[in-house]
Amino acid sequence: MRFDCDVLVAGSGAGGLAAAITARKAGLEVVVAEKEPLYGGTTALSGGWLWIPNHPMQRSIGIADSLQDAATYLLHEAGERYDAERVNAFLTAGPQMVEFFMRQTAVQFDPSATFPDYHPDAPGGRPGGRSIVARAYDGRSLGKKLAWLRRPLPELTVFGIMIGSGAELVHFMRWSRSPRSALFVARRLLGHGAATLFHGRGVRLTNGNALAGRLLKSALDAGVELWNRCAVKELVRQGNVVAGAVLERDGHEVRVRARKGVVLACGGFPRDGERMKRLFPHQEHFSPAPPGNTGDGLRLAQAVGGKLDESLPNAAAWVPVSRVPRGGGAWGLFPHFIDRAKPGVIAVTRKGVRFVNEGNSYHDFVQALLQTGETHAWLVTDHRAIRAYGLGFVKPRPLPLGPHLKSGYLLRGDNIGELAHTAQIDPALEATVRRHNEHAKSGSDLDFSKGSNAYNRFYGDPDIKPNPCVAPLVQPPFYAVRVEIGDLGTYAGILTNGHAQVLDEHKRPIPGLYAAGNDALSIMGGNYPGPGITLGPAMTFGWLAGRHLAGET
Ligand SMILES: Cc1cc2nc3c(=O)[nH]c(=O)nc-3n(C[C@H](O)[C@H](O)[C@H](O)COP(=O)(O)OP(=O)(O)OC[C@H]3O[C@@H](n4cnc5c(N)ncnc54)[C@H](O)[C@@H]3O)c2cc1C
């Protein structure tokens, strides 16, 4: 079969759909090919946060920012890998991209004044205001096509309910301690129950699922052609111009001519075992990314002369994950974003020693773990803390601990020595907890300064004084959950310029070829500066690609 269009996009995550919608709104005929049965990629599983300094809602929440401060911060974060051209393109276009989507599409965002940069005290860093999150979405707006959307990670839902990060999450964490939160949760439970009765599933989409749902709806409304179960297999050139691709759909070959060009947005290589083995410093790795993200975009670009950069010190955005038994020998992954910062939670290696400020970002946490030469760690806590905040997949009271103890996800000991024995952690854990408790009595952490910056404190417990991130572990029994190394997406990737054009080894654009999202080399230099630093650039460079294809730059 043959098909003609203006633009072919490979992949239906944030990068791909942003490019597709932008090009379509500019009048081009656009096809999105998605390899998997469902649309949305990792984006649909994500938190749905975008880091966009100087975004258009900053003023309304009383935040003052500047392009110069944001550039200074990114220079500090990326160091010698700072790419001035692409950073400038991102910082300039990011706010315009937000404006475009909010004005012309179903993609809507809410700002946060308090979600800090991950290194808020670094030059140009901010204690809040640069990140926006996809606004919750009524999935019924998609009609029957709601079934086309990838569902969120089950481990991040409660009874199947998608909980919005921010105020909603706070209510769920505090429902046994605050009547207002209890009322909120009761309403959400009732709403979810009714939706399940009438629609067979929850329909209130939040976080990344809301972002992917809103992008899908916008693409459909705009008239983007969407093909699922359809993998881009090979790029086709006329001379040195990329002019289309060979696709495989249901076992049949489809040849697509793309008059303006092709956008690669296949979501990087978190499921490409060979490249991971080569670029990751550790062997045991657990990625929550969907199975289709096997690095196709990188290979497609390389096959037509596109240059890759695989030299970043961290080839991916690391996150500690725990393996949650799903029954029948299957398991899911729980990414530990929040619990590490809570007072009364520490992390140790199997040697029973702490190694990091547990309240630091997931990426920094894993980097510190890698420096110890270990590939897993334990989160250790006491009865007070686990009932107040939960731990990983374990929810706070009144939900029971029993099932997690039975499945082996959660380990328990009547005292720290017994817990160490059960978890096969070195008995040095006892001295570690003693030392931690000694300092914690006055709210200090002399070893790793937990609670010392705005980002740590953002996830702490404001009711615990003087340090919302530090409390002694004193109330038996004691508990531990094992965490492994995972990723949220990959950083190494295809060299591109400020228009998202793929570059060759001489840094010349390959005409007709673009890359957005995690297929493109990250502009963060292997660091993780703040909430939304993959989706912000993914949508911005997708938008830039769409505009360049339409001749609008
Ligand atoms: C739990 C979790 C939370 C996260 N939270 C955040 C957050 O809040 N903010 C943030 O910035 N980042 C977050 N991330 C990371 C973020 O989700 C990813 O970096 C981002 O979604 C990548 O977008 P993408 O468009 O590059 O790829 P994806 O969204 O993964 O989409 C790529 C798509 O391409 C398809 N594909 C692959 N090969 C082919 C092919 N040959 N032909 C056609 N299609 C193909 C795939 O099937 C997939 O659907 C989170 C990640 C996880 C797992």
Side-chain angles (χ1 to χ4, degrees), residues 1-2 227-233 245-256:
M1 180 182 144
R2 286 176 183 277
W227 298 347
N228 66 344
R229 293 193 172 89
C230 183
V232 175
K233 290 287 190 187
V246 180
L247 282 52
E248 189 184 302
R249 196 175 195 197
D250 296 330
H252 300 288
E253 185 180 284
V254 184
R255 297 186 83 85
V256 173

Side-chain angles (χ1 to χ4, degrees), residues 9-17 33-36 38-51 150 153 156 208 230-233 265-268 270 288-297 300 317 319 335 337 362 487-490 516-519 528 530-538:
V9 177
S12 67
L17 288 183
E34 168 53 56
K35 180 182 182 176
E36 296 272 303
L38 300 174
Y39 297 100
T42 325
T43 304
L45 310 178
S46 76
W49 286 92
L50 277 69
W51 192 75
R150 180 176 290 284
L153 286 177
L156 291 182
C230 183
V232 175
K233 290 287 190 187
C266 304
N293 291 26
T294 51
D296 295 0
L300 289 163
V319 66
F337 295 125
Y362 27 93
D487 71 275
L488 298 178
T490 49
N518 292 347
D519 276 357
Y528 208 110
I533 57 84
T534 73
L535 287 171

